[in-house]
Amino acid sequence: MSALLKTPLFDEHVKLGGKIVPFAGYELPVQYKSGALKEYTAVREGEAGIFDITHMGQVRVQGKGALDFLQYVTTNDVSKLVDGQVQYSALLNEQGTFIDDITTYKIDDEHYYLCINAANRHKDVAHLQAEAANFDVMVTDESDDTTLLALQGAKAQSLLQDLVGFDLEGIGYYKFARGQIGSASGMVSRTGYTGEDGFEVYIPNSIAVEVWNVLVEQGAVPIGLAARDMLRTEMGYALYGHEISDSVTPVEAKLMWITKLDKGNFIGKVAVETRKAEGAQKKLIALKLVSRGIPREHYPVWVNGEPSGEITSGMHSPLAGGGVALAYVKPEHMTEGSLSVEIRGKQIEAERTTTPFVRSNVRK
Amino acid sequence: MSVPTDLRFTKEHEWVRIEGDTATFGVTDHAQEALGDIVFVELPEIGRNVDAGEAYGVVESVKAVSDVYAPVAGEVIETNDALDGEPDLVNSDAYGAGWIIKVKISDNNADTELMNPEEYTAFLDE
């Protein structure tokens, strides 16, 4: 294992009392001084949280063959994007299982930008560059030069507006704009991983500390990995390594909505079609505990007294008022059978529910 | 934060207050700090007998699940039911309102096996 990396904001995290842990090859704060619950509450209840998500990777795709290339390597229909639009998508292998889940930004017909997961970065880039050899396209890994901040919560727009040289109000959900940010140029999208209104801000590393500190001084609350995962899980958003991995296809992961089988050929298409025809091996469900307890990753899920699967993400949801979780179960148990979660040898009754587990406040 | 002087401590950062044949258990301020925001405490059944060093309950924070161990042996006679609704009492008042259970002591090993406040303070500094 190589040495852990630091983001340009590492010293700021330490100054703010961040408790530093290893995560996806980086040293990142799991929480700051006031603790994960207060951070979570700030984002859910009207403030704005600021997240250093610089560990995530960015890949630029340019050239006359950019659209054809992305149609072939990603699952969603890139031809549907207009300039300035973002799309949730995935990279599959020939077996139809996930290499990664990603977002695709369309700058123009010959220029796209991908945001990828930190833990998958080198695997993704190697895959994209290998496939790019067959297209008129250039794939550039810009991860090391780019700082990515998320600003999430009701006050996100007003805090960020002071710092950017363009109008944020005009940026719709899953749209983005480029322009002046602080003393440099960057990109802002109305996207996020929390279920609150907010933005993700791509800037050069050179202004990372400046932008972070201005936003924190104006009242943005620094948010660590623990609160970020609470906010993500409450929305039921999939996370690579949990709900999605190279052992499941979009059929199991309930991600057929980003997998467009009618758009033409793409990597993994045949395998997904086959899986769809044969039926999923397991199905992702959302559940809520009826009695007290916290469902956590890998806890067994039972249906009608028989083992059926396991939790992939779970938490105590302050807003839902109990334990909520995503879990894989046998396909026949997706809608039928009485559920329980095994917690320390005891069966705790659960019921199926829908995601998000709590109300989403994203601006649709 | 200073360590209360009327308690005894374990290396797992539990405390015990002994009054006559009753012992009250909790986790130390150091433990709650390390665990982070506590969101669930699993309490034992009244009447259960626990041995010294035996896990008698579970404390769950946002990110972690931790067993809590009995500093001395005894029969569980009371549990802190306030923790059902306010598990964060363990964070806010680890040595007071955040107590976890009371036992009727069956074997008092506190003087020989447990750390006194000075020893625990030194242990924290190691």
Side-chain angles (χ1 to χ4, degrees):
Chain A
M1 185 76 201
S2 52
L4 291 169
L5 303 170
K6 292 179 167 76
T7 77
L9 296 165
F10 180 82
D11 291 344
E12 308 312 305
H13 300 319
V14 173
K15 279 183 219 162
L16 289 161
K19 187 172 164 189
I20 306 294
V21 299
F23 182 81
Y26 283 80
E27 291 190 86
L28 289 166
V30 65
Q31 62 167 58
Y32 298 87
K33 252 186 254 156
S34 61
L37 277 179
K38 285 203 172 69
E39 295 169 19
Y40 157 91
T41 303
V43 176
R44 278 279 182 263
E45 296 186 0
E47 301 296 316
I50 187 168
F51 308 64
D52 178 12
I53 51 172
T54 302
H55 57 291
M56 298 194 72
Q58 292 80 30
V59 175
R60 198 173 296 278
V61 176
Q62 286 171 284
K64 291 198 188 319
L67 175 62
D68 288 346
F69 170 70
L70 290 173
Q71 287 289 62
Y72 184 64
V73 297
T74 72
T75 56
N76 213 331
D77 188 352
V78 184
S79 73
K80 293 280 198 288
L81 283 175
V82 298
D83 294 0
Q85 190 175 6
V86 191
Q87 183 181 64
Y88 183 50
S89 191
L91 307 176
L92 302 183
N93 55 35
E94 292 291 358
Q95 289 71 49
T97 63
F98 291 91
I99 296 173
D100 203 358
D101 64 330
I102 67 168
T103 46
T104 304
Y105 289 67
K106 181 178 182 183
I107 294 167
D108 63 43
D109 286 343
E110 297 183 4
H111 190 180
Y112 295 83
Y113 193 72
L114 310 179
C115 187
I116 62 179
N117 278 301
N120 296 330
R121 172 187 162 193
H122 296 293
K123 173 180 80 169
D124 290 1
V125 171
H127 169 73
L128 291 169
Q129 287 181 333
E131 295 298 333
N134 303 317
F135 293 86
D136 181 8
V137 74
M138 191 169 67
V139 170
T140 315
D141 180 2
E142 297 190 355
S143 309
D144 289 338
D145 309 316
T146 310
T147 290
L148 179 54
L149 303 178
L151 197 65
Q152 302 276 300
K155 287 185 181 160
Q157 182 168 319
S158 61
L159 281 183
L160 187 59
Q161 187 62 74
D162 291 342
L163 205 63
V164 301
F166 47 94
D167 177 41
L168 293 175
E169 182 60 28
I171 302 175
Y173 188 57
Y174 268 68
K175 297 285 172 54
F176 69 96
R178 297 187 299 163
Q180 190 75 22
I181 301 174
S183 61
S185 58
M187 190 168 87
V188 173
S189 56
R190 195 183 292 272
T191 51
Y193 210 37
T194 63
E196 300 300 324
D197 186 31
F199 300 90
E200 290 174 311
V201 183
Y202 297 79
I203 48 176
N205 290 342
S206 56
I207 62 163
V209 172
E210 162 200 331
V211 169
W212 173 273
N213 284 331
V214 167
L215 290 169
V216 169
E217 279 157 24
Q218 287 175 354
V221 179
I223 310 293
L225 295 167
R228 175 169 160 81
D229 199 51
M230 292 177 71
L231 294 159
R232 182 280 296 185
T233 301
E234 263 188 348
M235 284 299 116
Y237 294 154
L239 175 61
Y240 198 90
H242 299 257
E243 288 70 36
I244 53 182
S245 69
D246 62 5
S247 66
V248 298
T249 77
V251 182
E252 283 81 26
K254 274 189 164 170
L255 286 174
M256 288 307 290
W257 65 277
I258 62 164
T259 307
K260 306 298 186 190
L261 296 172
D262 57 359
K263 71 166 179 169
N265 194 29
F266 62 93
I267 299 173
K269 181 188 177 194
V270 173
V272 171
E273 282 172 337
T274 305
R275 183 65 58 87
K276 198 180 166 199
E278 289 173 349
Q281 295 177 338
K282 53 188 181 180
K283 278 285 189 182
L284 194 64
I285 61 163
L287 61 86
K288 184 175 193 297
L289 296 191
V290 174
S291 358
R292 299 176 65 248
I294 304 179
R296 294 187 185 263
E297 190 179 4
H298 302 311
Y299 284 5
V301 176
W302 294 59
V303 178
N304 299 333
E306 301 276 338
S308 180
E310 67 172 38
I311 305 282
T312 53
S313 297
M315 66 179 296
H316 170 79
S317 165
L319 273 180
V324 299
L326 299 170
Y328 275 113
V329 294
K330 291 177 180 170
E332 62 269 30
H333 296 149
M334 188 168 78
T335 53
E336 300 288 325
S338 65
L339 277 181
S340 61
V341 176
E342 183 185 328
I343 302 181
R344 294 182 284 277
K346 277 182 260 178
Q347 298 289 331
I348 308 294
E349 188 187 346
E351 57 191 25
R352 289 172 192 76
T353 184
T354 52
T355 58
F357 293 107
V358 303
R359 195 168 73 98
S360 167
N361 294 314
V362 298
R363 186 192 288 200
K364 290 281 188 183
Chain B
M1 178 165 175
S2 64
V3 168
T5 54
D6 59 334
L7 308 180
R8 292 291 180 274
F9 302 88
T10 71
K11 285 181 178 170
E12 286 78 35
H13 304 282
E14 274 105 9
W15 58 260
V16 55
R17 176 179 291 114
I18 294 173
E19 293 157 300
D21 64 352
T22 300
T24 306
F25 300 168
V27 302
T28 69
D29 195 57
H30 173 85
Q32 69 78 19
E33 180 83 37
L35 286 163
D37 293 319
I38 290 162
V39 289
F40 184 73
V41 181
E42 190 174 287
L43 299 164
E45 300 281 321
I46 304 290
R48 180 178 148 190
N49 284 294
V50 293
D51 285 331
E54 184 181 337
Y56 68 83
V58 175
V59 172
E60 298 201 39
S61 66
V62 169
K63 291 302 281 182
V65 182
S66 303
D67 286 325
V68 282
Y69 301 96
V72 299
E75 179 191 339
V76 179
I77 53 171
E78 193 180 345
T79 59
N80 185 358
D81 296 335
L83 298 178
D84 282 352
E86 296 177 84
D88 56 323
L89 288 171
V90 176
N91 292 118
S92 58
D93 193 6
Y95 295 120
W99 67 275
I100 299 174
I101 63 167
K102 291 185 182 183
V103 304
K104 184 168 185 292
I105 299 169
S106 57
D107 180 18
N108 189 347
N109 59 347
D111 287 340
T112 52
E113 307 271 329
L114 301 178
M115 289 182 273
N116 66 33
E118 295 73 32
E119 289 165 334
Y120 182 63
T121 304
F123 177 70
L124 286 177
D125 289 340
E126 273 174 21

